Amino acid sequence: MQATRFGPYELRLSSRELYKFGTKVKLRPQPFQVLSLLLDHPGDVVTREQLRQQLWPSDTFVDFEHSLNTAIKELRGVLNDSATESRFIQTLPKLGYRFVFPIEVSPSNSQASPVAAAVEPEALRPPVLAEPATAPPANLARRWTWLSLAAVAVLIFGIVVVVARIGVFRHSASGATSAALKPRPSIAVLGFKNLSRKSDDEWMSTAMAEMLDAELASGQQIRVIPSENISRMKLDLSLTPTDTYGQETLGKIHNHLGTDMVTSGSYLALPDGSSTKLRIVLQVQDTHTGETIAAITEDGAESDLPQLISAGGDKLRHTLGIGSLSAAATGEVRASFPANSEAERLYSEGLAKLQGFDALAARELFEKAIAADPNHALSHSALADTWSQLGYDINAQAEAKKALDLSSNLSREDKLSIEGRFRELTHDRDGAAEVYRTLHNSFPDNLDYGLRFARAEYLANHANGALDTVAALRRLPAPMGSDPRIDLVEFHAAERLGDMKRSQKAAAAGIARAKTLGSGLLLASSLTAESWAWSNLGELNKAIDDQSQARDLYAAAGDTYEAAIATHGIGMFQKNKGDLIESRKSLEAALAEFRRSGAQWEIASCSNHLGELFQEIGDLDQARSYLQAALQIQRSLQDKRGVAADLDNLSNVELSAGRLSTARKMKEEALRNFREIGDKRGESITLVNLGEVLYQQGELASANEVYSQAIDNDRAISHKSGLAYSLVGLAEVQTAQDRLSDALASTQQSKTLREQTKEEVHSAEGDVQLAIIAVEQGKPGDAESLARKAVAVFERHKSPSSASIANSVLARSLLAQGNLADARAAADRATSLANQGSDRIIFLTAGLAEAEVDIASGKAADAERNLSTLHDQAKRDGYVAFELEARLLSARAEIASGKPAAARAHLDKLQADARNKGFLLIARKAGAARR
């Protein structure tokens, strides 16, 4: 099936449906047929007679003129089009109609977009049952989960946007922080139509808009709408440059931007000997009345572009009653422009690339602009933000510092904006909050400063202060006080406070407002936020559904980078569910796009998650390859948090590969990094994983201590998922110490937390630990039920390593009941699954279970031989717990082989060694076997 796309719309002929930004739009059959016929003849006139013949055959008796006019009117309403300013359907009087917008015909997904399910907040799709994966319960090592994607949502919804020009943050559509404060008049410079249609002249539209922004904003008597808000609005309304707009369109622009006036117009560049003539037309309209307030024409040479805009801007300022600029203000405005036309062209082209979601191309253009004018502060600031988006924090910090050093000749407002961004990029959270507090207090009618201040507050761990700011911003006059971005700030602040239900409600409010506004990108941002809220609440199906809708919206808008961010999030949620196959597909798709766009930090993040996934599958070589690649990138970026996360995950691979000393060193380095940067959650996760290394090395007291530290941390920061891991890790130590009642209590607490977060796979890990405890308590029937339940979960979610562990425990429970046949089948299944990967912990666990079945089956000689190999392997690698278990089973095999004297000697030595190391359960079992 083919789909025809134009702007944000997609027409699917076979299903007779129209979509906007991936969301289904209601359209009656007759208007749909009219649109279909027009799209079949793009650029050509379709006569009224042709329409009559196609839609109303001769044997159909209708009022044709009325029916066609009604269909065209409805169609234009759906497309936000009008007869007077045709973006899509042009009327040719007494002749017919012509579709004038460029179209693209391409294959379409045969399934309706999942966004169609989001038209009404309650219309969520049914949960998609996938196949969750899980880490091996044997080591119970909590794999580091990057938390960055939730924060990345901040970059999406316009609070931390890539700053094309720092000045745009002074120019903001907003209102007062209280009903008593009257907002300044506001204006949006929408861009200018290139009448020559030459691609070489396109940069001038961006340049003129930026220059006019600076001219009008100087003196702070008028608020100028940020260019990123305008870019988003143009996408939402499919707005193209034109001289003037109709009142209906102006009303929609007002609702999106909260602006009182708009500036548009055109320009024409024509060769004139060795130079180029330039005519600029500026038009200003009132968004409430549609009235044209000013029409200004300036003629000159292209090389005089700044002077032409300055002259036009001065006339416009007089028309608006704000007077001419002072000499000092004129100097500040001129300092915001690059010093020469080549630098201005390159800078403007860089801004256009950013607006087109191409940071890689923008970076190259900004670098060239800086080469042409090294002293332009705003070029350095724009490059800093581009480096940041691409994941190069050190480069971003260096450029931000250069921008700050070069900002002395700019206005105070611009200097503060540059300083605020510098402090953000250098992670001076309190410093950034103070700068944005100053801007917010100086310009209380500026919504964007308020949003930046609130964001800086919660990042500086002042989430309650951020919520106070949110409450103040909601009191702004409409439409600013109902901006979905305010809901998104509330989402992040509530999340920081651990109030997951409030964060979900805030994100849902943002979704509803974005739908009412008709903003595809803000809807995508809100869906992304809600997906993380659902994940925090354990609703992974809903999280995947939201992220899928966000991905489709970003893709429809042409933002492939953010679409890849969403795909990455989907892969993480699928992995947390245990759906390893689909998770791998999602993560690999996201990684391919990140590599294409050059986003280094995201390449590292995605590689990290693929490394985790392959470890869960049991492919340690692939896991190590991805994690080493991630670590190399993070070291080059000097990202301490990223380095710490990669080290922790890579050390998990080394633990499973039998390199315990290496694993311990890596974890200790990761722990130092997390503590240095104050990351409590990262510290807690690493402590849990370090506890597993210490357990395997036989240092039970130390393991108990680090698990207790992790539990304290998790409780302090309300990290339920981490607390569940910490408790089950502690239960493993308590079991080895023969503290079975304590182990049972810890595991049951962990299970309760897993049930609250609805993590089926991780809950099954708790069942395995409960089964182990039940066997040791002499309750093999209970152990069998728990183990079978866990096996079913792991096999359904295609997690071979975890399924192997569960089958090993199942075999032991069946042996304790004398069911040799089923015990043999379970042990064989455990061995078969273990052999699918290269994880030595899984291999040793399965091998010990198989040896225990051999002893009970009268194959003591085979058991002795295999146990000797397992013992030597465990001792060589340093797995003390497995070494002691192998010695216990070897002594039992000797007894079964008729060598009681040798067995008793070995058991005496084992009992003493186990007691000295604190493995009191093995010591007790050795004493019992000796008798």
Side-chain angles (χ1 to χ4, degrees), residues 166 331-339 347 366-367 369-384 397-412 414-419 422:
I166 285 293
E332 292 171 350
V333 169
R334 291 297 175 88
S336 70
F337 307 161
Y347 176 62
F366 289 139
E367 287 176 331
I370 289 169
D373 179 9
N375 297 318
H376 184 229
L378 296 177
S379 290
H380 287 284
S381 188
L383 180 58
Q397 291 166 10
E399 289 299 326
K401 182 62 166 63
K402 290 176 185 176
L404 184 62
D405 293 342
L406 293 168
S407 67
S408 60
N409 57 353
L410 297 174
S411 68
R412 175 175 178 271
D414 277 352
K415 285 186 284 191
L416 283 171
S417 296
I418 287 175
E419 182 185 356
F422 167 74

Side-chain angles (χ1 to χ4, degrees), residues 312-491:
D314 186 63
K315 293 175 183 176
L316 185 52
R317 288 178 66 92
H318 278 281
T319 301
L320 299 176
I322 58 176
S324 298
L325 296 176
S326 66
T330 298
E332 292 171 350
V333 169
R334 291 297 175 88
S336 70
F337 307 161
N340 56 71
S341 59
E342 177 66 5
E344 181 63 59
R345 179 183 67 81
L346 291 164
Y347 176 62
S348 299
E349 289 178 348
L351 299 183
K353 288 296 183 183
L354 280 182
Q355 292 170 1
F357 313 115
D358 190 349
L360 205 58
R363 185 202 70 189
E364 183 178 352
L365 287 162
F366 289 139
E367 287 176 331
K368 290 179 179 179
I370 289 169
D373 179 9
N375 297 318
H376 184 229
L378 296 177
S379 290
H380 287 284
S381 188
L383 180 58
D385 284 299
T386 307
W387 277 124
S388 179
Q389 180 171 333
L390 292 171
Y392 292 88
D393 277 4
I394 301 303
N395 299 39
Q397 291 166 10
E399 289 299 326
K401 182 62 166 63
K402 290 176 185 176
L404 184 62
D405 293 342
L406 293 168
S407 67
S408 60
N409 57 353
L410 297 174
S411 68
R412 175 175 178 271
E413 191 177 353
D414 277 352
K415 285 186 284 191
L416 283 171
S417 296
I418 287 175
E419 182 185 356
R421 193 67 185 118
F422 167 74
R423 299 207 179 277
E424 284 182 308
L425 291 171
T426 54
H427 310 298
D428 180 1
R429 306 301 192 193
D430 288 319
E434 284 308 307
V435 171
Y436 289 125
R437 183 196 304 276
T438 300
L439 284 167
H440 176 54
N441 290 340
S442 299
F443 305 97
D445 63 349
N446 187 312
L447 172 61
D448 286 79
Y449 285 152
L451 292 170
R452 279 190 158 258
F453 173 47
R455 175 184 177 274
E457 284 184 295
Y458 71 67
L459 287 177
N461 295 319
H462 306 309
N464 283 315
L467 291 175
D468 290 340
T469 303
V470 163
L473 294 176
R474 292 200 193 283
R475 294 194 292 272
L476 291 166
M480 281 75 75
S482 58
D483 193 303
R485 294 176 297 167
I486 300 174
D487 298 303
L488 292 169
V489 171
E490 182 180 358
F491 156 78

Side-chain angles (χ1 to χ4, degrees), residues 18-35:
L18 179 68
Y19 289 82
K20 179 181 180 182
F21 285 118
T23 301
K24 186 177 178 181
V25 178
K26 291 182 179 179
L27 190 62
R28 292 189 307 110
Q30 282 185 345
F32 183 92
Q33 288 176 292
V34 172
L35 178 59

